[in-house]
Amino acid sequence: MTKGRKTDNNTVVATIDVKHEDGFSGVNGAAELERAISETGYGLFNVLLLVAALPAAWSGIFDTTTTAFVLISAECDLGLTTVRKGVLAAIPFLGIILASLVWDRVTPYVATRNLLIVGLLADTALNVLGSALDSYYAFLTVKLLTGVLTVHLRYVRSVSSVGGPFSMVTSYLSEFHSSAHKAGFARWAGLIMNAGIIIPAALGYSIVPLPLDIDIFYRRYTAWRIYLLICSMVPLVGILTACALPYTPKQLLETGRHDEALNLLRRMYALNWRKPADSFPIRRLLLGSQKVQPSRDLFFEENSEKMRVAWYNAKLLCSRPYLRAFSQLGFLQFGSSLLFNTMRLWVPHTFMIISNFDASEWTKDRSPILADLLHRRYSVTLKQYYDCPNLYDICVTWNITSSVYLKSTIIAVSTVGFAFLAGLISGSDFRRKTVMLAGFLISTGSGLGMSWVPDPPNILTLAAAIIVTGKIASNAVAAVSVLVIPVPLRGTSVTIFTNLGNLGAILGNVYLSAIIDAEPAAAFVGLGVLSLVCFFLSLLLPGPVKASPKPVIGSDNA
């Protein structure tokens, strides 16, 4: 842009204000937000920010995981039947589905940091309350409410998430990174956040087998209650760290706090580059194309329009030419999430029963298989009830073996590690589909063979294989869906796929709990058959879908 500048003798001289395509203006050191963030670099500030946000991300993982390590211990205290255990394991995922639309609508109007603090406070209170409850239905309600607050994370090249306040952690963190660093940060942040599934298992190994019996505020706390109480410290720590988190530069700009945004960027620059904050080259922030924060006065009107757009785009995904790819990917996400979330939540319970198997009562001339190991008539803790006709209705105080939880910890470490490595090698479309096919094929063989191999170590190996490959396949499906579904519909498809994954977790836990006592072989063979169907669907998966001539309403984030 050409401007005029007067000299000392009042002669007008033409000057040029150069604004680069990357958003940097040569005049007064002005730049748009993306360019300003890129100038801050990547370093200590980003690492400290991730560390401070970790308790919030892990809180959501704890809410969907800790149940697996108390089902066997709380059987008598909460009056748990096998079906009740399945419902208890599934209920947080129902909370995620029910609340996803609510949180998606609220977040544009409230700062992410504030929602995190409120969500963590509520989660801490609910978990402390849950550790003291004696009623199954009250405990079920608490787990449903924690599901409303919890998170379902999915890592592809960037992070997509649907859930409560904790699911906003990744989107919050991404606003502190330039586009050049977002992919790498998402990869490593995904590894560290997914490592949250290891900690509940490790704590279960350390606490649940102990013969604890303590009075706390006139309440009797046994080991499983103390375990839940200790796990509730994670969101409590999250409250303290979340209070130290800054508002994002984008949030500050959208609320008109330009000076605060610039000062924050200067602090980022100083920590990352180890230079004085005053040397930050950007002196003024340009608004550029930053979105204006939605008006709270028009909350219902704006969200009605968003829901209309989402519904229109969902109908578009269910029509040609998207229907085949959309339905196949949706089923694959459903199946892979069902395999992963069902097995990881039932392995501790199942193998704790197997550890109570009374080998002295086994008289057949073959090694016991899964159905024999799970049969209560061969349990060392039920010898006095062998003649009871309703053996599965009896409340059992099981012998808690710490080795089972140690093996669960090893499986969790393996899941995180192998899923991360699989993501690293999946750098092309061919590799992603190969990883997905391999994951479903291994799950198929493990599910079909699990009921027939002898000896607990062999059974545990196959169960671990289902967990690990189920997670890898789920990540691969998410990565492939980004390539297959066109950009204008990608936001809507991610939301639907994520909720289908949560639905798979619900149905898988209920299915297994309903059938495992009567037909344990059929329960795990069913998982193998589902995985086999997913394998064949993966073979037939189409390539990227060309956009329909029908218009797409709204943006990718609709």
Side-chain angles (χ1 to χ4, degrees), residues 208-285:
V208 177
L210 297 177
L212 300 175
D213 195 339
I214 304 172
D215 286 336
I216 301 177
F217 296 115
Y218 307 103
R219 297 287 300 174
R220 177 174 171 267
Y221 275 73
T222 52
W224 72 269
R225 295 183 185 275
I226 295 172
Y227 168 75
L228 290 181
L229 197 61
I230 291 174
C231 288
S232 69
M233 296 300 103
V234 174
L236 181 61
V237 172
I239 295 172
L240 302 177
T241 57
C243 289
L245 292 173
Y247 294 104
T248 69
K250 180 182 176 182
Q251 172 73 22
L252 292 172
L253 276 182
E254 289 178 347
T255 54
R257 297 150 73 180
H258 299 171
D259 291 339
E260 291 183 44
L262 188 58
N263 288 334
L264 173 60
L265 293 169
R266 286 171 179 159
R267 293 201 304 273
M268 294 168 60
Y269 174 84
L271 281 173
N272 289 339
W273 291 104
R274 309 294 176 85
K275 294 180 179 180
D278 292 341
S279 64
F280 185 52
I282 309 301
R283 304 299 178 187
R284 182 166 57 88
L285 293 174

Side-chain angles (χ1 to χ4, degrees), residues 360-417:
S360 64
E361 294 293 326
W362 185 253
T363 58
K364 297 182 181 180
D365 56 353
R366 62 173 175 81
S367 298
I369 58 175
L370 183 62
D372 305 316
L373 294 168
L374 291 178
H375 202 295
R376 290 199 172 194
R377 292 195 183 278
Y378 298 115
S379 172
V380 69
T381 56
L382 285 167
K383 280 187 174 181
Q384 65 271 36
Y385 301 111
Y386 283 171
D387 296 329
C388 180
N390 298 319
L391 197 59
Y392 285 91
D393 295 332
I394 297 173
C395 165
V396 182
T397 302
W398 300 94
N399 295 327
I400 305 299
T401 307
S402 60
S403 62
V404 172
Y405 293 145
L406 176 61
K407 292 169 184 174
S408 296
T409 306
I410 295 171
I411 292 173
V413 173
S414 302
T415 302
V416 173

